[in-house]
Amino acid sequence: MTFAATGPIPSRTQYVLEAVKRAILTGRLMPGQALVETELAAQFGVSKTPVREALKTLAGTGLVVMSQYKGATVRMVDAQMAHEVYDVRLLLEPEALRRSIARGDGFDEAAGALRRAATADDAAERSLANREFHRALYLPCGNPLLGRMLDEVRDQAALVSAVAWAAQPSWEKEAAEHQEILRLALAGDADGAAGALHAHIAEFVRRAFPEPEGESR
């Protein structure tokens, strides 16, 4: 797992960072695609410096790969990468949800994210709402470090999802699973909600990136 640098980011760098991140996570910039500093600088009307700093930050979050010879490229997604990222989610996210329920969170933000996903006009907005839903489940867990750890893999998980959805859209199935997870959470069923979330995460990566026989975890 990689970690982004901390500290304030200049506004131009932040602008480029958010624009490039959104393009990656919504599939407009594809895995393996070159990210040329001069082209991005011209596109955003900035110098190369904020572009370079934005790409370094994105490399820290695992969305971009920096190479001395190839420059910056969007990170490739394969089964190994997908399973590594989702292993972390499987270990941490259900427990974080269990703790959020124990703390009595009302999950208003999670419910709002589901409504936004259901009424989204395009795949990009639906994807962003999906990310917000999962974050709204784990963030109230009462352990800021646990929340930050899940935030660190959030972008990489979204990249995996973008690649999987492009090949095999599964929005309706996942929306129904989200509704069930939220129902159990609102009912105070911590074990049931955590179990449903675990199954939801595990099934997605298993369906999108099946492992060869004999290599299951």
Side-chain angles (χ1 to χ4, degrees), residues 7 64 126 149-150 158 162 179 210 212 217:
V64 168
R126 195 177 295 115
M149 291 174 70
L150 283 164
Q179 291 285 358
R217 298 173 190 272

Side-chain angles (χ1 to χ4, degrees), residues 193-206:
L197 178 60
H198 188 284
H200 167 71
I201 295 170
E203 174 59 25
F204 178 86
V205 72
R206 188 163 48 237

Side-chain angles (χ1 to χ4, degrees), residues 15-179:
Y15 167 68
V16 175
L17 188 155
E18 293 299 331
V20 174
K21 178 195 286 189
R22 184 181 177 89
I24 292 172
L25 296 183
T26 56
R28 286 190 288 115
L29 288 173
M30 300 299 293
Q33 186 168 339
L35 300 169
V36 182
E37 290 181 11
T38 53
E39 293 178 359
L40 292 172
Q43 177 181 340
F44 296 119
V46 299
S47 69
K48 289 198 299 183
T49 299
V51 172
R52 185 176 303 117
E53 292 306 311
L55 294 179
K56 287 180 181 177
T57 301
L58 290 170
T61 67
L63 291 183
V64 168
V65 175
M66 308 286 284
S67 168
Q68 180 179 354
Y69 303 104
K70 294 183 178 180
T73 57
V74 179
R75 183 175 183 178
M76 295 293 295
V77 174
D78 57 20
Q80 179 178 347
M81 179 269 197
H83 282 276
E84 287 174 356
V85 171
Y86 273 66
D87 274 352
V88 174
R89 292 188 65 194
L90 286 168
L91 288 169
L92 300 181
E93 203 167 323
E95 176 59 25
L97 173 58
R98 184 180 281 107
R99 294 185 181 199
S100 295
I101 295 170
R103 289 171 58 85
D105 189 83
F107 297 106
D108 291 340
E109 291 187 16
L114 285 192
R115 288 192 295 270
R116 288 192 295 277
T119 58
D121 293 329
D122 57 31
E125 291 304 320
R126 195 177 295 115
S127 175
L128 292 173
N130 177 74
R131 297 176 70 216
E132 291 169 7
F133 171 74
H134 279 275
R135 191 167 193 260
L137 296 180
Y138 68 70
L139 205 59
C141 68
N143 185 327
L145 178 57
L146 178 55
R148 287 196 299 271
M149 291 174 70
L150 283 164
D151 275 350
E152 288 291 346
V153 298
R154 185 168 173 244
D155 287 344
Q156 294 179 60
L159 178 58
V160 171
S161 297
V163 172
W165 287 325
Q168 183 181 351
S170 52
W171 295 108
E172 292 184 0
K173 174 177 173 56
E174 288 152 39
E177 292 170 354
H178 286 170
Q179 291 285 358

